Amino acid sequence: MKALVALILLVQLPIHKAVPAALPAPLGCDDPESEAAAEVAVNYINSHSHHGYKFALNRIEDIRVVPQGPNNDIIFLELDLLETKCPILSPTPLANCTVRSFTEHAVEGDCDVKLQKVDGTLSVLASKCHSHADSSEDILKVCPDCPVLARLNNTEVLETVSAALNDYNSKTTGPYLRLLEIGRAKIQYHPSHVIVTEFAVGATNCSAEEAKANVGACQLLPEDQSNFGFCTAVKVKNPAQDIQVDCQLYGHQVPAADTPLLSQDTSAGLPPSAVGVTSHNLGLAHNNPVASESSSSEILRSMLSAKSVAKRAVAEAAQHDKVPRPVGFAPPPPPCPGKIRHFDI
């Protein structure tokens, strides 16, 4: 009889279904964790770029996190960057580099970056970037009199760089400098004809005085003694011919173990015409040796896969959220894209 009563009571007990735990909300683009990952990514991109200028973060466009296990996540970032005024080889910290203004004809960089976070430590596995200058039409709408970027193989640009470097070498008591690459150039026609150029240089094993005797013997310094710098030149053609040039050498810098020097991937020692039509392309597609991808195109496929996983996780979490929202309660804003730090182009 006692057994029968116990069985009846057991049958009458309410049955509690297991409710899956709600998955964590997706990481927002402006969350501290996202910004920390973006900082690591931008530093990595700048340290592995061999040309042009340093880039600063403008906006986190998207972030996806794919858990790999306890304290182990893969993070995919889409970043919008803006060119600064610091050449890539400048020792100036990025935090002290000024982002070029919109009217200076800004250059934007779009980057996809794959990182891993293990026990709180972030490392970049792979990155792929491309960049482009804003359209001339956009600049002229805001500032009709502002000069826009000129093509780097423009005859006047090449003549100005050559004349400026010759002028500097003829007056310096330091090492003879050779052209590495032209970074930017602008030509203004009114009210005066002015050409402004910026270009990277490298010190040679000759003094400027020694180069006068045999300039062909002057070669860029070897890697363990390398000394790079940057020059700005202004040439006024009308009403009078005048050129002014200012060059700064940075001194020898020892790169990190996995960061190649500019001299390993540059047009150093070539005539200006061989530098190329444009240097606005970051030209960076790098894979860390420990990364699983053999090609940076894998980043895009991984990004798409990560988005699918994240969307599915959000949908599953929403299915288990049965708590009604109070009347008038606004839904949270979308986590991405993030805030614009400088300006949109």
Side-chain angles (χ1 to χ4, degrees), residues 51-53 83 87 100 149-162 165 178-186 195-201 229-233 262 266-268 270-281:
H51 305 283
Y53 303 82
E83 183 187 82
R100 290 189 188 274
L149 290 173
R151 295 176 69 88
L152 301 184
N153 64 348
N154 179 286
T155 302
E156 289 188 296
V157 171
L158 299 178
E159 289 176 348
T160 299
V161 170
S162 178
L165 200 49
R178 282 193 178 278
L179 175 68
L180 295 181
E181 67 172 6
I182 304 174
R184 288 170 69 96
K186 291 182 178 182
I195 304 102
V196 180
T197 59
E198 299 177 11
F199 51 96
V201 294
F230 207 74
C231 301
T232 300
L262 179 64
T266 184
S267 47
L270 298 177
S273 58
V275 172
V277 173
T278 177
S279 65
H280 301 318
N281 190 345

Side-chain angles (χ1 to χ4, degrees), residues 20-333:
L23 294 173
L27 200 60
C29 280
D30 292 330
D31 289 348
E33 291 181 54
S34 304
E35 294 185 341
E39 181 180 1
V40 171
V42 172
N43 288 336
Y44 177 90
I45 289 167
N46 283 328
S47 67
H48 286 78
S49 182
H50 309 153
H51 305 283
Y53 303 82
K54 296 181 181 181
F55 276 71
L57 178 65
N58 188 39
R59 191 184 204 184
I60 302 175
E61 296 287 349
D62 199 12
I63 180 169
R64 304 290 173 178
V65 181
V66 181
Q68 301 295 297
N71 300 318
N72 185 358
D73 294 324
I74 296 295
I75 302 173
F76 296 94
L77 283 174
E78 293 180 25
L79 302 178
D80 172 33
L81 312 180
L82 286 175
E83 183 187 82
T84 72
K85 295 183 179 181
C86 290
I88 200 66
L89 284 179
S90 170
T92 304
L94 180 61
N96 297 335
C97 294
T98 303
V99 170
R100 290 189 188 274
S101 68
F102 177 82
T103 54
E104 289 180 283
H105 208 158
V107 175
E108 179 184 30
D110 297 312
C111 295
D112 292 333
V113 187
K114 178 180 179 181
L115 305 93
Q116 186 172 29
K117 186 176 183 179
V118 179
D119 295 327
T121 301
L122 288 160
S123 59
V124 175
L125 299 181
S127 66
K128 183 178 182 181
C129 294
H130 69 275
S131 64
H132 59 89
D134 193 13
S135 70
S136 300
E137 290 77 10
D138 288 346
I139 304 297
L140 297 176
K141 285 178 183 177
V142 178
C143 182
D145 296 327
C146 290
V148 296
L149 290 173
R151 295 176 69 88
L152 301 184
N153 64 348
N154 179 286
T155 302
E156 289 188 296
V157 171
L158 299 178
E159 289 176 348
T160 299
V161 170
S162 178
L165 200 49
N166 288 337
D167 183 75
Y168 180 87
N169 281 325
S170 68
K171 297 175 181 178
T172 184
T173 57
Y176 181 81
L177 303 183
R178 282 193 178 278
L179 175 68
L180 295 181
E181 67 172 6
I182 304 174
R184 288 170 69 96
K186 291 182 178 182
I187 302 177
Q188 174 182 300
Y189 295 98
H190 303 286
S192 299
H193 192 164
V194 180
I195 304 102
V196 180
T197 59
E198 299 177 11
F199 51 96
V201 294
T204 68
N205 56 356
C206 298
S207 68
E209 187 65 29
E210 291 170 335
K212 294 177 181 178
N214 185 10
V215 69
C218 300
Q219 304 297 322
L220 287 172
L221 293 172
E223 182 179 316
D224 59 348
Q225 303 172 36
S226 59
N227 185 4
F228 301 118
F230 207 74
C231 301
T232 300
V234 179
K235 183 178 181 180
V236 180
K237 296 187 70 174
N238 293 317
Q241 293 282 346
D242 180 53
I243 191 165
Q244 296 180 353
V245 58
D246 178 58
C247 294
Q248 178 187 7
L249 287 175
Y250 300 132
H252 178 59
Q253 299 178 62
V254 180
D258 63 341
T259 305
L261 281 167
L262 179 64
S263 59
Q264 294 179 334
D265 181 15
T266 184
S267 47
L270 298 177
S273 58
V275 172
V277 173
T278 177
S279 65
H280 301 318
N281 190 345
L282 291 178
L284 173 63
H286 179 87
N287 285 289
N288 191 306
V290 301
S292 58
E293 289 84 8
S294 59
S295 169
S296 57
S297 63
E298 290 293 332
I299 302 176
L300 180 58
R301 288 194 286 270
S302 300
M303 291 284 288
L304 295 175
S305 175
K307 289 181 179 180
S308 300
V309 171
K311 287 181 180 178
R312 186 167 62 250
V314 172
E316 292 174 353
Q319 290 179 356
H320 302 303
D321 182 12
K322 302 301 182 181
V323 180
R325 294 184 181 275
V327 177
F329 183 84

